[in-house]
Amino acid sequence: MVEFPSRRNVLLGAAAALPAAVLGTAVAPWSQDGGNHHGADHDSGGGGHGAAGSTEATATNHVGHAGFPTGSVPPGRAGIDPTAILRDFDTGTVSTLPSGQVLREWQITAIDRDIEIAPGVIFPAWTYNGRIPGPTLWCREGDALRIEFTNAGQHPHTIHFHGIHTAEMDGMPGIGGGSILPGTSFTYEFDAAPFGTHLYHCHQSPLAPHIAKGLYGAFIIEPKSGREPADDEMVMVMNGYNTDGGDDNEFYSVNGLPFHFMDHPVQVKRNALVRIHLINALEYDPINSFHVHGNFFHYYPTGTMLTPSEYTDTVSQMQGQRGILDIRFPYPGKYMFHAHKVEFAELGWMGFFEVTE
């Protein structure tokens, strides 16, 4: 029987001693193509820099990080690319209804697949469209939304959207479309409200594993009036991986791969307005956090207000909480960001912003 790494063993560095059945097992590359992925060029009014620099397909292990761990799985091997996910906003297929209302349509499929989340550690994931997190759905307040969901997995699933909609569209077993059985489909339809930074996830019982195995994603509703245009806009979904079947996580990450942003820093420009949609999709831990070194940001809880609640360098979020961080980096250089729960950081939830002129 293969023994997956426990949280304690990972912290003690025992991942290097994993059995041969787990070590070095590669999975086939998984395409993230599908739908309209416009990066930061979506019609939110933000300028954006595009998906800066596709990450390389070879492992890196930088030695200049003062003893902090690195060594993430190459995106080409994992089949997900956290750097590309940062700025991958899917605006859907857009048309206009006879009433003049904008209609946005998406197709989302639940797919079971194995993902190498850390070198030699294969996680049996349940995914939306083959990636963790699922596609970032972007729309504008008041748009009509139509999401065709197909369950190609082996278990019943749903999609529950945080927002305002009828009970029939809530993605709850026994209500409306209820549980979507393997091999069947259901279409969720509702209008986009309220504006803000939201999320969607599976709401099939038992809830914790259905979410923790990867069935979640970002759901962004831009206000009708717009926001101050951002120079660079991105999404960071905080998550964890329970690899040993216990009641806690052994790895933590942003956008799917532990330590990825240590090896591939987020590229930003000095003095540019950087807007981050931060979402906590973590299960098995009651709270998560975000801290940035050497800089402060304005924080908008849930993104449902146009004025910030605070100016800080650290924010905490409970499970399912989210918000917007607006930040400008006045000085060039490399600035770490990480969970201020140090254990989470040392298990993968850490990275760098690299600020250039």
Side-chain angles (χ1 to χ4, degrees):
M1 181 177 179
V2 174
E3 181 181 354
F4 284 92
S6 70
R7 183 149 154 171
R8 179 177 297 275
N9 285 343
V10 171
L11 278 172
L12 293 174
L18 288 172
V22 179
L23 284 172
T25 306
V27 295
W30 192 272
S31 172
Q32 293 187 70
D33 193 19
N36 294 332
H37 309 292
H38 298 297
D41 294 329
H42 56 76
D43 52 347
S44 67
H49 298 303
S54 179
T55 48
E56 298 175 2
T58 56
T60 56
N61 193 339
H62 298 172
V63 296
H65 295 327
F68 288 104
T70 62
S72 58
V73 175
R77 201 165 83 200
I80 54 176
D81 185 345
T83 296
I85 290 172
L86 279 175
R87 301 177 177 91
D88 185 11
F89 293 82
D90 189 340
T91 60
T93 299
V94 183
S95 60
T96 303
L97 296 172
S99 64
Q101 185 181 21
V102 171
L103 171 66
R104 297 182 188 270
E105 300 179 86
W106 295 271
Q107 292 184 332
I108 295 181
T109 303
I111 300 169
D112 299 348
R113 60 172 296 238
D114 291 342
I115 299 176
E116 187 178 7
I117 58 168
V121 180
I122 309 301
F123 184 75
W126 299 343
T127 73
Y128 289 128
N129 287 6
R131 56 177 252 185
I132 298 178
T136 295
L137 308 186
W138 185 96
C139 58
R140 193 177 295 277
E141 181 185 13
D143 289 349
L145 311 181
R146 184 177 296 159
I147 304 97
E148 182 183 354
F149 173 55
T150 299
N151 186 358
Q154 299 181 41
H155 304 272
H157 296 305
T158 76
I159 305 181
H160 166 68
F161 292 88
H162 284 227
I164 299 173
H165 45 248
T166 65
E168 289 74 18
M169 295 295 139
D170 199 37
M172 279 288 297
I175 302 175
S179 299
I180 312 306
L181 299 179
T184 66
S185 299
F186 180 77
T187 299
Y188 297 95
E189 295 185 88
F190 52 92
D191 290 348
F195 73 78
T197 296
H198 307 306
L199 71 155
Y200 62 90
H201 57 83
C202 184
H203 215 290
Q204 183 69 38
S205 181
L207 284 175
H210 274 260
I211 296 174
K213 286 179 73 67
L215 291 170
Y216 46 81
F219 174 42
I220 311 299
I221 303 179
E222 181 79 1
K224 283 183 180 179
S225 60
R227 300 183 187 272
E228 178 186 359
D231 299 301
D232 195 357
E233 189 166 1
M234 60 188 71
V235 170
M236 291 187 177
V237 179
M238 303 184 291
N239 74 311
Y241 292 104
N242 179 347
T243 60
D244 65 0
D247 59 358
D248 58 12
N249 297 294
E250 283 66 57
F251 296 92
Y252 297 83
S253 76
V254 168
N255 292 358
L257 292 182
F259 301 114
H260 174 86
F261 294 113
M262 293 292 286
D263 296 325
H264 308 280
V266 179
Q267 301 296 310
V268 296
K269 296 295 184 181
R270 186 175 75 88
N271 287 328
L273 176 57
V274 178
R275 177 163 296 147
I276 301 169
H277 298 270
L278 181 71
I279 297 170
N280 183 18
L282 183 65
E283 284 294 329
Y284 301 114
D285 289 287
I287 196 166
N288 208 337
S289 58
F290 176 101
H291 168 60
V292 62
H293 287 204
N295 292 273
F296 270 55
F297 53 83
H298 288 100
Y299 185 63
Y300 302 76
T302 318
T304 50
M305 298 181 294
L306 298 179
T307 55
S309 64
E310 60 181 318
Y311 187 53
T312 182
D313 64 356
T314 306
V315 64
S316 295
Q317 294 180 340
M318 298 292 288
Q319 294 163 325
Q321 281 193 304
R322 63 273 187 194
I324 292 175
L325 287 61
D326 275 0
I327 183 170
R328 295 181 189 269
F329 296 87
Y331 305 112
K334 290 178 69 173
Y335 299 94
M336 181 174 273
F337 65 99
H338 58 87
H340 220 292
K341 170 71 170 173
V342 175
E343 182 182 10
F344 294 4
E346 292 180 337
L347 290 171
W349 181 167
M350 58 168 63
F352 283 98
F353 291 105
E354 186 166 22
V355 184
T356 58
E357 296 289 346

